[in-house]
Amino acid sequence: QVQLVESGGGLVQAGDSLRLSCTVSGPGRTYSGYRMAWFRQAPGADRQFVASISASGEVTNYQDSVKGRFTISRDTAKYTGYLQMNNLKPDDTGVYYCAMGIVLGKYPYWGQGTQVTVSS
């Protein structure tokens, strides 16, 4: 069973930075060969894509609103992915989820989410 555990969320002020982590755990854990992505869900809104990274780590994609501020990365040896978030804005507030999968655009494995709140 593969489990994803997010951490690093919190309450910050606009302009601050946070780094989210997503660690793969469980007796059947695997990481190499899987794409990883971050999604977020604001109160009353649908879950939206934030960023993704290929299994090799060479290809990344970002939602337009976070380009230039967020950076997705991964450390395969540590079974961990990261989302560095700089210059945070109140609109970035929400629950952030990491997800993992093999097929492009399909993520069968999800974490429980970590809350990010940005005050103005």
Side-chain angles (χ1 to χ4, degrees):
Q1 183 73 16
V2 174
Q3 297 177 329
L4 305 182
V5 180
E6 301 101 332
S7 61
L11 171 62
V12 297
Q13 294 185 331
D16 286 349
S17 298
L18 281 174
R19 188 176 81 156
L20 305 183
S21 299
C22 174
T23 300
V24 182
S25 65
R29 72 174 182 172
T30 183
Y31 193 52
S32 61
Y34 281 75
R35 304 175 56 84
M36 200 197 75
W38 288 92
F39 292 77
R40 68 186 179 191
Q41 187 166 21
D46 293 332
R47 189 175 299 183
Q48 63 175 196
F49 169 81
V50 175
S52 67
I53 187 167
S54 63
S56 67
E58 295 178 350
V59 180
T60 58
N61 289 287
Y62 297 92
Q63 181 197 105
D64 285 347
S65 68
V66 307
K67 286 181 180 177
R69 299 189 297 122
F70 291 12
T71 303
I72 189 171
S73 62
R74 62 190 294 160
D75 186 336
T76 301
K78 295 183 178 180
Y79 294 85
T80 300
Y82 305 96
L83 185 67
Q84 177 67 43
M85 307 186 294
N86 297 329
N87 190 22
L88 283 160
K89 303 176 180 180
D91 284 348
D92 295 320
T93 293
V95 179
Y96 282 69
Y97 300 88
C98 68
M100 197 170 76
I102 295 177
V103 177
L104 181 64
K106 295 186 181 297
Y107 299 99
Y109 302 109
W110 290 80
Q112 82 290 348
T114 185
Q115 177 71 45
V116 172
T117 303
V118 185
S119 63
S120 58

